Amino acid sequence: PLSGGEAGEKDKNVFFIRSGFDGEAVKLAGPMLSSGLTRVAVVYAANNDGKSALKAVENILSDRGMKLAGQYSIKADGGGLNEAIGSAFAVRPQAIILALDTLPAAQFVKNYRLLDPGAFMLGLSRIDHKILFDIAGKDLAAGVMIAQVVPHPGDWKVPVVMEHRKI
């Protein structure tokens, strides 16, 4: 599958070559937390993928004796966007993880950065950076970190890398 979603992960006929969104969220949160940030919020899609990413971040924080500064869901149609922006701004997290599809993420970035231009935001690989820049504009989208999920070509232990190297 193109996305790293967890749907179908128990189906023996589905071969995942990408991390799930929960894995991406953990990889984004780990180094950020190691750098000393303590107030982290998650803005997530109101679906299973978003909830999975939210749970993963909650778990990594819990392992460190921490809790989320805030968690805000946004529906696919944009429902909850304004509430998420206002609520997140009220708590001023040090970092915001965006577990959203491209369009809601772009709208969140565009509107939130008007309130807090220096906000540190990290997004899952589902966010298309080109569309993010088109919608939010280069000034507001600049600095948003977006995960890119590919196996490292030098990691010969990964079966898909070994297969690719044979070609």
Side-chain angles (χ1 to χ4, degrees):
L2 175 62
S3 76
E6 285 72 32
E9 66 185 3
K10 294 180 179 147
D11 186 337
K12 294 179 183 178
N13 296 317
V14 177
F15 178 66
F16 285 91
I17 58 172
R18 291 183 61 164
S19 171
F21 295 117
D22 56 344
E24 285 185 37
V26 167
K27 290 294 184 182
L28 284 174
M32 176 185 57
L33 295 171
S34 295
S35 70
L37 298 180
T38 58
R39 291 187 349 272
V40 179
V42 176
V43 180
Y44 64 98
N47 61 29
N48 288 338
D49 290 336
K51 292 173 186 173
S52 174
L54 170 66
K55 183 72 173 159
V57 175
E58 286 177 320
N59 288 341
I60 195 170
L61 288 171
S62 176
D63 290 347
R64 296 169 187 240
M66 300 165 60
K67 290 185 178 184
L68 282 172
Q71 57 181 359
Y72 316 103
S73 68
I74 298 177
K75 296 178 183 173
D77 66 0
L81 176 67
N82 291 333
E83 294 84 356
I85 291 166
S87 297
F89 185 69
V91 300
R92 300 276 176 98
Q94 293 170 301
I96 301 171
I97 295 177
L98 304 171
L100 297 164
D101 289 326
T102 301
L103 297 179
Q107 289 298 328
F108 182 87
V109 169
K110 178 180 179 178
N111 292 291
Y112 190 86
R113 282 264 173 97
L114 293 173
L115 300 173
D116 185 2
F120 181 41
M121 296 187 202
L122 308 98
L124 301 184
S125 66
R126 183 174 272 183
I127 299 171
D128 182 313
H129 69 283
K130 292 176 185 174
I131 296 173
L132 173 66
F133 271 68
D134 286 346
I135 293 173
K138 68 176 187 169
D139 291 337
L140 296 175
V144 174
M145 295 177 60
I146 300 175
Q148 294 296 300
V149 182
V150 295
H152 190 284
D155 189 351
W156 286 72
K157 294 177 264 180
V158 177
V160 73
V161 173
M162 289 188 302
E163 187 176 338
H164 177 73
R165 299 281 292 194
K166 290 178 186 176
I167 297 176

